[in-house]
Amino acid sequence: MNNKKNTKFAYAINAPLIIYLACVLLGPIIWGIWMSFTNKTIGGDAVFIGLDNYITLLADEEYRRSILNTLVFTFFSIVGKCFFGILMALALNIKFKGRNIVRALLMIPWTLPNIVAVLNWRWIFSSTGGIANYLLKSLHIIDKDLIWFGSAGLAMTTVIVANIWRGTPFFGVSILAKLQTISQDGYEAAAIDGANMWQRFWYITLPEIKDVILLSTLMSTIWTLNEFESVWLLTGGGPNGATEVMNVFSYQTAMKSMMLGKGIAVSILAMPVLLILISLLTRRMIAKED
């Protein structure tokens, strides 16, 4: 009986939140799903056309290429952020003079407004006067300026590098928080047994931080799959669609081509993957709390 009362009380307390979420989340989702089954254009009427948008998209080579671009962008971005995040955490876990100042400075990429960060990267990779070309020429790696945004491979590199730079502090701070909870007794015992630095990391540190790495990876993967602003501002999806990820393709379809229904269908097709990732993330977080 008490359980029923507690359940009713919990629903009553959370009723405003449930109503709010239903209005701002569930309502737009239902509207978006409905629009994806229509030929809705900006300024035009919505006429139901069934699965035509989805069939057209799956047969569209440009859409399939945007999926591949998204996978490449996400994979290399996550690998880079995880790798440099671990290095950042390990370095900041060592006591040295001015450590707190260094920690604050390394948080700058994550705290900067995205537009500011992107404009800085546009200057760094500029083909005329950019610091990337200057450094590479100074090191005698290249003889002439590279046109970073004019080559397919180089353009994808720029957006991946920018995303890694911006997302690394999230991994670093998350892993660092876990590192500071690890007891030093295990390290001391391993050192007495003759374990070197790599062995201590592999057998003591990594098992302790693997859950944090997994949670950070899942969360960052969701964010990276949804990335739009930095890619759009850096390359606009070019050259010739080389960096056109799914969200850029959706935007160009809905806003530039004015085919709103088809553009929304792009996002709806990505929902199952995002829901699976969100479900995995939620389960891992609940399991960790338990």
Side-chain angles (χ1 to χ4, degrees):
M1 192 71 178
N2 288 331
N3 288 335
K4 288 183 178 180
K5 288 183 178 179
N6 290 335
T7 302
K8 289 180 179 179
F9 178 74
Y11 278 120
I13 289 295
N14 289 290
L17 177 62
I18 293 171
I19 294 170
Y20 170 77
L21 291 176
C23 293
V24 301
L25 290 179
L26 189 59
I29 288 174
I30 294 173
W31 177 85
I33 293 173
W34 163 251
M35 285 293 105
S36 72
F37 291 108
T38 70
N39 64 349
K40 172 67 176 176
T41 58
I42 296 177
D45 296 327
V47 178
F48 182 78
I49 57 173
L51 296 173
D52 284 4
N53 284 330
Y54 295 97
I55 295 171
T56 303
L57 281 172
L58 294 175
D60 189 342
E61 184 179 349
E62 186 178 358
Y63 170 69
R64 295 199 299 269
R65 182 179 58 191
S66 73
I67 295 176
L68 179 60
N69 289 339
T70 303
L71 294 176
V72 170
F73 169 68
T74 302
F75 175 78
F76 285 105
S77 294
I78 294 298
V79 170
K81 285 184 281 190
C82 185
F83 176 75
F84 289 109
I86 292 173
L87 292 181
M88 175 182 170
L90 291 173
L92 294 179
N93 196 43
I94 300 171
K95 292 182 179 180
F96 58 90
K97 188 175 182 180
R99 182 173 63 167
N100 290 334
I101 297 175
V102 174
R103 286 180 179 178
L105 291 175
L106 289 176
M107 287 296 294
I108 289 175
W110 201 30
T111 56
L112 273 179
N114 201 24
I115 182 67
V116 176
V118 170
L119 291 177
N120 275 309
W121 281 107
R122 283 194 64 87
W123 167 70
I124 290 170
F125 288 114
S126 175
S127 57
T128 55
I131 194 171
N133 281 331
Y134 173 78
L135 291 175
L136 291 174
K137 285 192 294 185
S138 299
L139 296 171
H140 304 290
I141 296 174
I142 60 175
D143 297 323
K144 58 181 180 180
D145 290 335
L146 296 175
I147 304 176
W148 291 93
F149 301 118
S151 168
L154 292 177
M156 180 59 79
T157 299
T158 63
V159 295
I160 290 173
V161 168
N163 191 266
I164 291 173
W165 177 82
R166 185 166 178 79
T168 293
F170 169 71
F171 276 82
V173 171
S174 301
I175 297 169
L176 177 61
K178 180 61 179 179
L179 284 175
Q180 294 180 333
T181 67
I182 301 175
S183 173
Q184 296 299 311
D185 295 341
Y187 292 108
E188 293 171 1
I192 293 172
D193 291 337
N196 58 34
M197 184 178 65
W198 169 252
Q199 289 171 328
R200 292 197 295 270
F201 171 77
W202 187 259
Y203 293 107
I204 300 175
T205 305
L206 192 58
E208 290 286 344
I209 64 174
K210 64 180 181 181
D211 285 341
V212 175
I213 292 174
L214 180 59
L215 287 172
S216 300
T217 298
L218 284 172
M219 190 170 294
S220 186
T221 299
I222 294 169
W223 293 340
T224 309
L225 285 172
N226 282 302
E227 186 62 61
F228 165 76
E229 185 180 1
S230 61
V231 178
W232 178 254
L233 293 174
L234 268 175
T235 65
N240 297 322
T243 60
E244 187 180 48
V245 295
M246 280 193 297
N247 285 338
V248 172
F249 176 81
S250 176
Y251 174 80
Q252 290 184 326
T253 302
M255 298 301 168
K256 299 189 77 174
S257 299
M258 302 186 73
M259 293 184 289
L260 191 60
K262 186 178 177 182
I264 293 174
V266 176
S267 300
I268 300 299
L269 282 172
M271 279 182 62
V273 176
L274 294 174
L275 289 174
I276 291 171
L277 290 173
I278 292 170
S279 176
L280 290 173
L281 177 62
T282 305
R283 289 181 181 181
R284 292 297 301 184
M285 292 180 70
I286 293 174
K288 187 178 179 182
E289 289 176 0
D290 292 339

